[in-house]
Amino acid sequence: MWTASQFFAGCPALEQDPKAQLQRFIKQHSGKPVVCVTSGGTAVPLERRCVRFIDNFSSGSRGALAVEAFLQAGYAVIYIYRANTVQPFTNGTHSERALQWLFEQATERQDASLSLPAGSAELVASAVQRFKQVHHESTLLRLPFTTLFEYLLVLREAALALAFLESRAMMFLAAAVSDFFMPWQDMEEHKIQSRSGPLTLELQQVPKMLGELRQHWAPKACLISFKLETDQQLLLQKAGRALELYAVDAVVANLLETRKEEVWILQRSNTLQQPQRLTRPPQDDFIEAALVARIVEIHQQHIHALT
Amino acid sequence: MWTASQFFAGCPALEQDPKAQLQRFIKQHSGKPVVCVTSGGTAVPLERRCVRFIDNFSSGSRGALAVEAFLQAGYAVIYIYRANTVQPFTNGTHSERALQWLFEQATERQDASLSLPAGSAELVASAVQRFKQVHHESTLLRLPFTTLFEYLLVLREAALALAFLESRAMMFLAAAVSDFFMPWQDMEEHKIQSRSGPLTLELQQVPKMLGELRQHWAPKACLISFKLETDQQLLLQKAGRALELYAVDAVVANLLETRKEEVWILQRSNTLQQPQRLTRPPQDDFIEAALVARIVEIHQQHIHALT
């Protein structure tokens, strides 16, 4: 069973070290609450010159919409996201579809502008405006990753940098992190070749990093983890166990098939010990605004309790 | 070892049957040459309620840029692509980056239009214009897929529909198709649970469909297959074997690390039997225009030979 130390010792190094960016960002926003939102699935390479990998289904829309809601709520956001997943400011849509929609709507004009019909124009103008505001105020730090190794290395750097803010920092861990991986030393150098029989892959358990976060990296931060299951019987039981085992401050539990409509929030400091079910308000297109409003309250309680 | 018949017998059905769309499209363009371009990697589900899957690294830019070049060359194009990969008309860029670039460049104006600075405006105007032309002339049929099952089912339907055009049809098979899969019957119903030890996955070989294409589905079509390797020693040897084994009309061979700069084309009817190396012309941003020009010649020779 691999420990966290062994895992990091065996990790290939990051191409770019995010330390300096992170420190600059945190210093710049020292008056605000800061949240680190993680989003998307982590790719587990099966070969060193990676052609094949194991992946988790995760569109990234939960994280992207949560980023928008946190920004609206006055947070500075560190956004650790899987490259090419759904991004903020695109109405929870994959950029492919958003861009195609834009091309269908737009008409080029002589003066090098794109004209849009009324309804679409408002949607796009609002997105562009919020995008530019965030860009202007530098309240969003984007740190893309692809592999599990990159994700955990960047997560660790972000958490270590955020430790400085103590309880004012929050980690909103919506990324779908692989449970299993192939250690770098076990990987073949080149693309695995077709063969005449079945292929057997042996994968090791990824060490749970929530414990590291809680105990070593950012001990005073407000930690929000996620649990996704496909079996309703297992969901709340496993979410409850995660809460106890890793001492996170809240677990957001959801079922794959209904995740856009309902979530359950289990809070560590909630003496009633009942999971709180939260549904998408009918007037909202997405559940994330309501979810983030609740999470912000939890964070405020956390700050208050530790002050 | 699974046969093609066994594979299709065990496939979950497509959500939407593309037969009618395909027949309409082919009828509409009965005067033009038609190419089916496949693009992107195929996801191999590991669970029935799919959370995890095995995937192939494939941005889709080769296919997307080839679609643009084929359209410019007067083809009608059936585009079988992995959802959320690089799309045509975005300069070979992932939509995420393209959209972000657009947001950075654009300024909203009072009259609900987006204004762009001069250089950017031309780029976008050209893309929007070509997009709309294709939309207006209906020369591009988009068929997205995610899983290996969906890909092979859609590919088969497209090939069977194209058989009607005989040698006037071409298949440009740039998709990165999985070599290994987990049969539906072997899959767990629910998300594979974390456990205390290693996880062993046993995967079966995917039956090679090139043979089915050549012999049964579209016997007179011009077939262009691709070979990607990471080891130069293996590349041309394997490309040559694919040519003999499956009797495709040409194989485009490339190395992962240099695929944007050079390819080798092995042509079945070329009696010299030497692979032709093709490099990106310095004045071109991408190699695909030159590659497609060569492939169009091969198709014309194919049509001529069979007429």
Side-chain angles (χ1 to χ4, degrees), chain A residues 51-53 55 57 84 96 106 114 132 179 190-191 193 195 199 201 203 205 228 230 238, chain B residues 51-53 55 57 84 96 106 109 114 132 179 190-191 193 195 199 201 203 205 228 230 238:
Chain A
V51 176
R52 295 184 189 82
F53 52 94
D55 211 349
F57 165 74
N84 304 318
E96 168 199 328
L114 287 179
K132 284 190 179 305
D179 294 321
H190 285 291
K191 184 182 166 206
Q193 295 302 310
R195 56 204 65 189
L199 173 70
L201 296 174
L203 305 166
Q205 279 247 310
L228 177 95
T230 54
K238 297 199 75 193
Chain B
V51 176
R52 293 185 192 83
F53 52 94
D55 211 350
F57 166 74
N84 305 317
E96 168 198 330
R109 301 210 297 219
L114 286 179
K132 285 189 179 303
D179 293 321
H190 286 290
K191 183 181 167 206
Q193 296 301 311
R195 59 204 63 191
L199 173 70
L201 296 173
L203 304 167
Q205 279 247 310
L228 177 95
T230 54
K238 298 199 74 193

Side-chain angles (χ1 to χ4, degrees), chain B residues 14 24 46 49 54 63 65 91 99 109 119 121 126 132 138 142 158 160 167 202 216 244 261 267 297:
Chain B
L14 281 172
R24 238 184 351 253
L46 296 176
R49 285 197 215 188
I54 296 185
L65 291 162
N91 217 32
L99 201 57
R109 301 210 297 219
S126 157
K132 285 189 179 303
S138 305
R142 290 173 188 267
L160 291 172
S167 64
E202 197 176 86
H216 304 298
E244 292 170 25
E261 297 300 321
Q267 196 181 351
E297 277 175 14

Side-chain angles (χ1 to χ4, degrees), chain B residues 248-273:
Chain B
V248 293
D249 297 286
V251 176
V252 178
N254 50 183
L255 286 171
L256 179 63
E257 281 163 13
T258 59
R259 68 198 188 282
K260 303 203 180 202
E261 297 300 321
E262 64 181 349
V263 298
W264 288 263
I265 301 170
L266 290 75
Q267 196 181 351
R268 186 157 61 121
S269 65
N270 182 350
T271 50
L272 283 173
Q273 297 268 317

Side-chain angles (χ1 to χ4, degrees), chain A residues 197-214:
Chain A
L199 173 70
T200 305
L201 296 174
E202 199 177 85
L203 305 166
Q204 302 300 322
Q205 279 247 310
V206 176
K208 295 288 178 223
M209 299 299 179
L210 284 177
E212 297 298 303
L213 259 168
R214 174 86 288 160

Side-chain angles (χ1 to χ4, degrees), chain A residues 28-43:
Chain A
Q28 185 184 353
H29 298 291
S30 51
K32 288 173 173 272
V34 182
V35 64
C36 172
V37 175
T38 69
S39 180
T42 59

Side-chain angles (χ1 to χ4, degrees), chain A residues 194, chain B residues 1-4 7 42 44 148 152 177-182 203-209:
Chain A
S194 288
Chain B
M1 184 73 185
W2 286 61
T3 64
F7 181 90
T42 59
V44 170
L148 171 72
L152 290 174
V177 186
S178 318
D179 293 321
F180 303 105
F181 81 113
M182 185 171 287
L203 304 167
Q204 303 300 323
Q205 279 247 310
V206 176
K208 296 289 178 222
M209 299 299 179

Side-chain angles (χ1 to χ4, degrees), chain B residues 133-185:
Chain B
Q133 180 188 3
V134 156
H135 190 76
H136 178 69
E137 298 172 358
S138 305
T139 39
L140 177 62
L141 175 61
R142 290 173 188 267
L143 298 172
F145 67 88
T146 299
T147 70
L148 171 72
F149 301 119
E150 291 165 346
Y151 170 74
L152 290 174
L153 284 167
V154 174
L155 178 70
R156 185 175 66 166
E157 292 305 324
L160 291 172
L162 282 169
F164 172 71
L165 299 177
E166 298 190 336
S167 64
R168 212 154 27 86
M170 173 156 61
M171 315 278 300
F172 186 86
L173 305 166
V177 186
S178 318
D179 293 321
F180 303 105
F181 81 113
M182 185 171 287
W184 198 251
Q185 65 200 40

